[in-house]
Amino acid sequence: MSETPKLSVVIPVYNEEAVLPTLFTRLYPALDALGISYEIVFVNDGSKDRSVALLRQQFSLRPRETRVVLFHANFGQHSAVMAGLAYARGEYVVTLDADLQNPPEEIGKLVGMLDQGYDYVGTIRQQRQDSWWRRWFSRRINKLREMITPVRITDQGCMMRGYARSVVTALNQTREVNTFIPALASLYAMKPIEVPITHEERFAGNSKYSMYSLIRLNFDLITGFSVVPLQLFSMTGMLVALISAVLFLVLLVRRIWVGSEAEGLFTLFAFVFFLIGVALFGIGLLGEYVGRIYAQVRERPRYIVEAVLEDESNALNRRAQDRVGQELYR
Ligand code: UDP
Ligand code: MG
């Protein structure tokens, strides 16, 4: 029976045929150089290109260190990482993007920190190589998150992170949908630390995130970790209602003292439009939370695994672990 590895590296893969060959040639030597036992868990998130073929080929080259989890459809990056965490067996887990924006050579740095007893190693990108609007957008959203959620991470965007087993166990027990793994992990960690790492331009291929999905992700981050928006909204509602009540009284008194008047019609329109805007925003905000609850109560599986490629001793080992896991939960 093969022993459990010291380190698991979890990598989500979605249409990454352009970067995978280079990723393989850099990642394996970098991990070999660490001199510890390791496994790499690739999670194919329903790629439509040659990614699966490349992963299969790599698996046949390094079967002992490679495990490949295949989804039958695209479930999103965070579902893929969650699956990777569930399959990872290592004492430490490092998550990494496939696109080589975070150099695999830096994994040793994270492992060093985990060795020192930290259970969550966050990362701060040095000279971030992304488009200006993404940098601007993420600075703003970082500020907002700091203000209204308990999550304290300097740089939320970078997925390269290291987790100790205790944090991974807590993550695996989380049943929340549409969550944000680094933020969640930072809440579970008892001894977190952050390290600077270099950041490179995407090696090849395109970003899988559009402006739309970035906005979605950040809505999840805010509404998933805080009800402050709702509270702020009810506060605003209270204030607006109070002002409206005063205005109503003023108009009533004027109606009695001055008689009927039709001036100020456009002021009234402006006022009404403003209130409609506030009301629509509030409905949208409520919708965000209701949507989260809706996704949660459906209790659908977060992902469906079509197949797992792993060598026989790894598979046996995992099945033994699964049994222990089931007994623990009973
Ligand atoms: N990814 C995924 N499923 C998706 C979108 C992305 O597994 O639906 C993976 C992708 O293959 C990459 C990582 O998530 O390994 C980050 O994606 P990307 O580099 O496009 O995001 P960005 O760096 O632009 O935020
Ligand atoms: Mg990227």
Side-chain angles (χ1 to χ4, degrees):
M1 201 161 119
S2 77
E3 75 290 9
T4 56
K6 178 96 174 163
L7 170 70
S8 299
V9 178
V10 168
I11 305 183
V13 176
Y14 180 53
N15 294 344
E16 301 284 11
E17 62 178 4
V19 291
L20 283 179
T22 321
L23 175 69
F24 297 151
T25 57
R26 279 179 60 186
L27 181 62
Y28 285 81
L31 292 175
D32 288 334
L34 294 179
I36 53 174
S37 57
Y38 69 88
E39 62 173 9
I40 305 173
V41 183
F42 292 100
V43 184
N44 172 59
D45 189 12
S47 299
K48 290 171 200 70
D49 64 357
R50 287 182 50 250
S51 296
V52 177
L54 293 171
L55 290 171
R56 271 182 200 284
Q57 193 185 5
Q58 182 61 25
F59 169 67
S60 64
L61 287 178
R62 299 288 296 264
R64 280 190 59 82
E65 290 87 4
T66 310
R67 298 166 69 209
V68 184
V69 179
L70 299 170
F71 285 0
H72 90 294
N74 181 246
F75 290 93
Q77 178 187 357
H78 283 265
S79 296
V81 174
M82 283 312 259
L85 293 178
Y87 278 88
R89 300 162 308 163
E91 194 184 322
Y92 305 151
V93 177
V94 167
T95 55
L96 189 72
D97 283 352
D99 59 3
L100 289 168
Q101 284 194 286
N102 315 122
E105 291 78 17
E106 301 262 37
I107 292 176
K109 216 190 244 178
L110 304 190
V111 172
M113 286 297 164
L114 291 164
D115 271 338
Q116 286 177 32
Y118 294 102
D119 57 357
Y120 168 89
V121 188
T123 48
I124 306 169
R125 288 169 288 189
Q126 305 298 104
Q127 279 118 37
R128 185 172 168 197
Q129 303 289 327
D130 270 319
S131 51
W132 67 268
W133 63 266
R134 280 197 61 169
R135 288 205 302 271
W136 178 86
F137 186 71
S138 74
R139 257 202 310 277
R140 287 282 146 291
I141 208 82
N142 260 311
K143 275 252 164 55
L144 184 66
R145 176 187 43 72
E146 285 285 312
M147 263 165 55
I148 65 177
T149 73
V151 178
R152 295 285 164 272
I153 44 185
T154 310
D155 184 0
Q156 67 179 39
C158 181
M159 276 305 279
M160 181 178 190
R161 271 148 219 277
Y163 307 116
R165 181 43 61 182
S166 55
V167 172
V168 174
T169 305
L171 286 171
N172 285 340
Q173 285 167 352
T174 305
R175 291 282 148 262
E176 188 179 338
V177 296
N178 300 332
T179 187
F180 194 74
I181 297 156
L184 205 55
S186 77
L187 293 183
Y188 295 155
M190 278 183 260
K191 205 174 165 216
I193 191 168
E194 293 184 320
V195 294
I197 55 158
T198 53
H199 187 243
E200 291 162 19
E201 205 136 355
R202 192 175 225 290
F203 177 76
N206 293 322
S207 171
K208 309 292 178 285
Y209 283 98
S210 59
M211 185 72 181
Y212 172 76
S213 39
L214 272 181
I215 293 176
R216 283 289 352 134
L217 186 77
N218 282 292
F219 258 118
D220 285 337
L221 184 54
I222 302 283
T223 58
F225 287 88
S226 163
V227 288
V228 170
L230 279 182
Q231 293 164 344
L232 280 182
F233 188 73
S234 53
M235 291 300 214
T236 317
M238 230 161 65
L239 207 70
V240 169
L242 205 72
I243 296 170
S244 312
V246 172
L247 187 73
F248 172 73
L249 281 181
V250 170
L251 289 179
L252 196 70
V253 169
R254 283 186 69 89
R255 181 70 181 77
I256 293 167
W257 290 100
V258 184
S260 71
E261 28 179 14
E263 281 97 52
L265 191 63
F266 288 104
T267 320
L268 186 67
F269 265 121
F271 200 70
V272 169
F273 285 155
F274 170 72
L275 288 186
I276 292 175
V278 173
L280 285 180
F281 173 74
I283 294 170
L285 189 63
L286 273 180
E288 284 295 323
Y289 285 93
V290 174
R292 281 193 79 78
I293 299 169
Y294 173 60
Q296 193 69 47
V297 295
R298 279 187 304 191
E299 286 199 1
R300 292 191 184 154
R302 236 189 310 234
Y303 50 81
I304 293 165
V305 174
E306 187 174 273
V308 181
L309 311 179
E310 60 190 339
D311 98 342
E312 196 45 41
S313 65
N314 280 341
L316 282 174
N317 190 356
R318 176 166 61 83
R319 281 196 282 276
Q321 270 193 347
D322 284 350
R323 270 198 301 281
V324 174
Q326 278 159 15
E327 265 147 36
L328 281 179
Y329 282 117
R330 203 170 290 148

